[in-house]
Amino acid sequence: MCLGVPGKVVEVYREHDLLMGRVDFGGVLKRVCLEYVPDIAVGEYALVHVGFALTRLDEAEARQLL
């Protein structure tokens, strides 16, 4: 079993040729690898597991998971 936590993408950037982002988890900002969801944009939500965004979520799904 794994734990995925929804977070809101607040910044997208490249770091050493990897797509990275800053993701807001209820006021806590973390650096997250976005390579698995390359078309994600600022303001969208992602399901994150151990520093990797696994999938995009809509806001309703994110709120339900929280």
Side-chain angles (χ1 to χ4, degrees):
M1 183 170 112
C2 68
L3 175 65
V5 181
K8 186 175 185 177
V9 177
V10 295
E11 181 183 2
V12 176
Y13 59 93
R14 286 243 167 232
E15 183 177 309
H16 304 292
D17 205 32
L18 290 175
L19 186 62
M20 300 293 290
R22 283 185 358 160
V23 178
D24 183 2
F25 298 98
V28 177
L29 295 174
K30 293 287 186 178
R31 193 179 83 169
V32 172
C33 179
L34 302 175
E35 282 292 323
Y36 295 135
V37 285
D39 54 343
I40 199 160
V42 170
E44 294 184 314
Y45 288 82
L47 186 64
V48 179
H49 175 67
V50 293
F52 291 87
L54 301 178
T55 189
R56 177 185 301 113
L57 302 171
D58 64 31
E59 188 172 356
E61 286 177 302
R63 289 190 188 280
Q64 183 180 9
L65 288 173
L66 288 172

